[in-house]
Amino acid sequence: PGNKTFGRIQGWMDNLPEGKRANWLIGSESSSRVGGRLRARAVNLVFMLLPGTPMAYYGDEIGMADVNGVSTSPMQWNTTDNAGFTDAGVTPWSAVAPDYATVNVETQKKSNSSLLQVFMAAATLRDEPAFQWGDFDNALTTANVLSFKRTHDGATSYLVAANLGSTE
């Protein structure tokens, strides 16, 4: 996943028209959610720190998984009935995931190590000059690890590394 993913990213960046900005999307209603995978934290981190504009599919920031093979289940806001998506007694169009008691916005806001907190920290890092206007260069990429540097003259530089393999 590391080498292959970097190759796809670099290929996209190399073919981007002059003066245009990349647009990254890792989830949609027509694909499986990243949240149902072991590497969701790493994928979200990389996605948020690439050059360009990241667009997250709702729920990816908290690690929502597909429900019965469908990625369009209701947003999981809290631990109340229907995960806070709609009032109790109202049946949403699709089933709420059974893990909504732990995978929801309210619960993850309270945990410093939650996927939502990592996502928000990465969003804050995007304000740094290296992520706003900086260069994007390969650092070290292996079969499982993707890493890249983000640098900008006169600003703090960053090394982003993520294990995209199927084991920790």
Side-chain angles (χ1 to χ4, degrees):
N3 290 328
K4 186 176 180 181
T5 301
F6 186 83
R8 286 182 177 168
I9 293 167
Q10 192 63 58
W12 185 262
M13 296 299 294
D14 288 347
N15 288 295
L16 198 61
E18 185 69 32
K20 300 299 179 185
R21 189 168 168 90
N23 176 349
W24 306 105
L25 177 66
I26 57 171
S28 74
E29 71 279 355
S30 55
S31 64
S32 293
R33 289 185 172 278
V34 70
R37 301 180 200 144
L38 174 67
R39 59 186 182 261
R41 186 177 303 262
V43 170
N44 272 312
L45 181 69
V46 167
F47 158 76
M48 288 297 289
L49 299 178
L50 289 171
T53 304
M55 296 187 342
Y57 185 58
Y58 80 93
D60 282 347
E61 70 279 18
I62 62 169
M64 283 178 56
D66 292 349
V67 177
N68 299 322
V70 177
S71 64
T72 57
S73 60
M75 180 63 183
Q76 296 165 198
W77 294 106
N78 57 41
T79 61
T80 63
D81 290 343
N82 297 322
F85 179 78
T86 189
D87 294 332
V90 176
T91 304
W93 76 91
S94 181
V96 174
D99 65 357
Y100 78 92
T102 54
V103 180
N104 66 71
V105 173
E106 183 179 70
T107 299
Q108 290 194 20
K109 278 185 174 180
K110 298 173 186 173
S111 170
N112 290 335
S113 62
S114 71
L115 184 56
L116 177 61
Q117 295 293 348
V118 169
F119 193 90
M120 291 179 1
T124 298
L125 270 176
R126 291 185 57 78
D127 290 336
E128 293 288 322
F131 293 108
Q132 286 283 320
W133 310 285
D135 294 331
F136 170 79
D137 296 298
N138 187 20
L140 171 70
T141 303
T142 69
N144 290 324
V145 175
L146 166 68
S147 67
F148 55 88
K149 297 177 286 185
R150 297 299 309 272
T151 58
H152 186 68
D153 289 341
T156 302
S157 295
Y158 292 87
L159 171 66
V160 178
N163 178 359
L164 300 179
S166 59
T167 59
E168 291 186 11

